[in-house]
Amino acid sequence: MLFLFAMGSFFAFSFYFLKFQVERYDNTNEKEKYEKISIVFNRIISQENNLETIQNYLKEVGFIQINDNRLRQAIIQSIPIPYDTPGIFLRSVEVQDDLFILVVSDGEVYLYKDSMRGLYVNYYLILLIGSVILILLFALVIRSLLPMIYLRRQIRKFAKGDVRVDCRIPQKDEIGELASEFHKAINRINALNNSRTLFLRSIMHELKTPITKGRITAEMVENPTHKQRLISAFDRLNFLIDEFAKIEQLSSHNYNLQKSEFIVQELIAHIEKMLLIDKLESSPIANHCPNDLIKADFELFAMSVKNLIDNAIKYSTDGRVSLESDGRNLIISNYGAPLTMPFEDYCKPYFKDSTKPSSQGFGLGMYIIKNTLDAQNFNITYTHSDGVNSFTIEGCIIESSCPLPIPDITA
């Protein structure tokens, strides 16, 4: 845009100036002008026969003396020169579309040309040179900025999860240094991500072994109640390890979403297992929309809703949580005190409520919920009204109150 503005301004000024010069010369017939000058000078000569006065006057009105002997000889040969005429003789001469004033005095011939005539013709050359300079400058600027396009594409690829990018460019200026620093930063980020991934996977691998051994040992317990509780505890640990693995894949952009359709009742049954809710006990989850159909990644969605339900039970005044829907959104609510900080703050990693310094945990619950829902293009909102906290997962329900499949009793 700057280049176009500069070119437009340059051409506008040049056009106006050239038009002014052309009109200046076109509006006055030069030949007639020169004839009039010759008449005026001849009148001056008739009153004052002084060559120096004539030459000075010619210079004052913008004429310059031409010292080209070849041109002068050509003019002398092309027209009759009255050398024998006493005094000073002036006349206008046209040679190859150029007009001159010829001054003859004492056998000497002096040739003068209007210094302003033809000057406007050079403006075309100046216009051409100026345009070429502007275009060259533009080309140089574009050539120096082209690597920025390549750099932007590489950074965009890296932002989308492609770690195999190379931002280096064979350029030694500031842009080349910038690209080199970006390349170093990307390598550092990749190294940090690789070390974090290795660390998390090592921990999860090491935890799997004792959990598996504990699970096998739990099978040897004779008391059925203790045995079931131990098995449930180890199953819960396995669930947590699997959750960590999914979170790690999600944060490293390596998780492949597999959306499917399932009803809320299936979701709650899975979450009750994850929360180790005993089937013999009364469930703290009141499901008021068991037949509503959800389309999402079952494992990720279950992880999000499980954390929401777990928090709702933990911080409710009656130890219960309710699930409802409005035909499009899933609403998880409980009776309890409202959040003391803005909801957006709870979605930040490692957030700690300043009003509850003794609270346990790492402050990752809502952060994990928000990220797992964002990965599925679901939004979560929070409201508090009449003592009820409501967390709404928007757009997850595709059909409300769908009928349950009728079991085949003949099977």
Side-chain angles (χ1 to χ4, degrees), residues 397-408:
I397 294 177
I398 60 172
E399 189 175 342
S400 181
S401 299
C402 69
L404 289 174
I406 300 175
D408 187 0

Side-chain angles (χ1 to χ4, degrees), residues 110-274:
Y110 303 94
L111 194 62
Y112 289 88
K113 184 178 181 181
D114 190 353
S115 61
M116 296 302 295
R117 188 191 186 279
L119 187 62
Y120 73 94
V121 178
N122 296 330
Y123 295 144
Y124 288 108
L125 181 61
I126 296 172
L127 175 62
L128 178 62
I129 294 173
S131 302
V132 170
I133 291 174
L134 281 175
I135 292 172
L136 285 176
L137 287 174
F138 176 70
L140 289 173
V141 171
I142 291 298
R143 183 174 179 273
S144 65
L145 293 179
L146 279 177
M148 293 291 288
I149 300 175
Y150 171 78
L151 182 60
R152 181 186 63 185
R153 289 174 180 170
Q154 294 299 101
I155 294 173
R156 188 173 293 172
K157 285 172 61 179
F158 180 73
K160 291 181 179 179
D162 187 356
V163 298
R164 297 170 298 178
V165 297
D166 189 352
C167 292
R168 293 171 296 181
I169 55 177
Q171 201 163 307
K172 301 300 181 183
D173 57 5
E174 290 82 358
I175 296 177
E177 293 178 3
L178 177 65
S180 178
E181 293 302 319
F182 265 117
H183 184 73
K184 292 177 183 177
I186 287 173
N187 286 338
R188 293 193 192 101
I189 293 171
N190 285 334
L192 288 173
N193 284 336
N194 291 335
S195 62
R196 185 204 63 178
T197 301
L198 181 62
F199 175 72
L200 289 175
R201 290 179 180 177
S202 297
I203 289 178
M204 288 186 289
H205 176 73
E206 293 299 325
L207 287 175
K208 280 283 187 179
T209 301
I211 290 173
T212 303
K213 290 181 178 179
R215 177 69 170 76
I216 294 172
T217 305
E219 294 288 348
M220 303 177 184
V221 176
E222 295 182 358
N223 188 308
T225 303
H226 294 168
K227 177 180 178 179
Q228 185 59 41
R229 287 178 178 175
L230 282 173
I231 291 174
S232 298
F234 285 116
D235 287 343
R236 169 66 172 155
L237 289 174
N238 266 323
F239 275 128
L240 290 175
I241 295 296
D242 293 338
E243 280 189 15
F244 291 152
K246 289 183 178 65
I247 293 169
E248 186 275 325
Q249 292 174 354
L250 193 64
S251 62
S252 60
H253 305 285
N254 291 323
Y255 186 84
N256 294 321
L257 289 174
Q258 296 180 350
K259 287 193 174 185
S260 60
E261 295 180 1
F262 51 90
I263 59 175
V264 177
Q265 185 174 348
E266 294 176 11
L267 176 69
I268 297 304
H270 182 70
I271 290 173
E272 286 177 342
K273 291 181 181 179
M274 297 171 70

Side-chain angles (χ1 to χ4, degrees), residues 304-305 307-313 315-316 321-325 329-339 341-344 346-347 366 369 373 379-385 388-394 396:
S304 304
V305 177
N307 285 324
L308 282 172
I309 290 176
D310 194 20
N311 288 336
I313 295 172
Y315 295 107
S316 67
V321 61
S322 174
L323 268 75
E324 299 174 342
S325 82
N329 308 317
L330 183 65
I331 305 168
I332 300 165
S333 58
N334 72 334
Y335 286 99
L339 299 180
M341 306 288 286
F343 178 65
E344 292 76 15
Y346 288 87
C347 296
M366 285 305 304
I369 294 169
L373 291 176
N379 186 38
I380 182 170
T381 59
Y382 165 77
T383 58
H384 181 86
S385 178
V388 177
N389 293 298
S390 297
F391 296 87
T392 303
I393 302 175
E394 299 178 348
C396 62

